[in-house]
Amino acid sequence: MTNREILQIAMEQSSFDSNCAAEDFMRSENVVVISKENSKARNYLKLPHVCDLTSYGNNIVATISEEYRGIVEDYIGKYEIYHCFETPNMHVLDEAFRSYGLGVCFQAEYFLPDMDVLRELPCEYELRVLEQSDFADLYKPEWSNAICEDRKQYDVLGVGAYDEGKLIGLAGCSADCETMWQIGVDVLSEYRKRGIASALTSKLAVEILKRGKVPFYCAAWSNIRSVRNAIKSGFRPAWVQMTVKSIKLIDELNGKKDDTIVSDDGVSTFSKQ
């Protein structure tokens, strides 16, 4: 696959998620559409959305419930694209939704492989390709970024790093939709800063591509360690999203300490980014 083909596949998937056309993400003007359920959407999304903003850098596509059209159109029409996804401007959108018992909840940056630089990176430890059946005994806290017990049916492929037979690092991918598989990675703390994460991530990305799927990677913009791993592994920023949810859900997420909470971006709210 070429970079152009990969980007097109990603935008087509985003069009299923957002109930729009793939070309809407390439327009110079913002697009507002009504959110609807779609069987082709990423399997962890809870549709329809109240408000979800997506940008591939050209504009904002807002998929919304009709009753909030005025709030969203005013917001995305007032500020620069990138400012809409950050503070202090983000507070304007959050405050507008508060009276409805809603607020800004999820923010994430998504990465796609750059085929001009992606390659399997070296590792001083043994690497093994793992299939779904190999994950059965691995649903433990130390591997909660790589695989997710709550969605284990979607964990389809992985790569493990071994030190004399001991699993020290794991990259896993979930089949979040028909064409795209999301990568998560964990390395035991005593083995970090040795290039293991990038070796696992890059090899898994190559394995995913061999199977005709597009690998993608998600990180919070503030998770510097994760973003650095994405870049080192051959991934580049592709799109960003911000999602409004109920205040009740936001309060539950803020009050829960368990790192295995799974959010609408398909990663755990606290650690899987």
Side-chain angles (χ1 to χ4, degrees), residues 182-240:
Q182 182 178 186
I183 294 176
V185 61
D186 287 294
V187 176
L188 296 181
S189 58
E190 62 269 31
Y191 286 91
R192 291 173 184 165
K193 298 185 178 180
R194 303 186 192 183
I196 298 171
S198 57
L200 290 169
T201 303
S202 61
K203 182 171 180 60
L204 182 54
V206 170
E207 293 293 332
I208 292 170
L209 286 162
K210 286 179 181 178
R211 289 157 175 78
K213 307 297 183 181
V214 171
F216 72 106
Y217 188 104
C218 177
W221 66 268
S222 55
N223 193 339
I224 300 301
R225 186 169 64 188
S226 185
V227 172
R228 283 176 175 169
N229 179 58
I231 298 298
K232 184 177 180 180
S233 301
F235 285 76
R236 299 293 182 265
W239 79 97
V240 293

Side-chain angles (χ1 to χ4, degrees), residues 80-93:
E80 290 287 343
I81 294 168
Y82 55 92
H83 285 318
C84 287
F85 293 86
E86 63 178 10
T87 58
N89 303 132
M90 184 188 72
H91 292 302
V92 173
L93 184 66

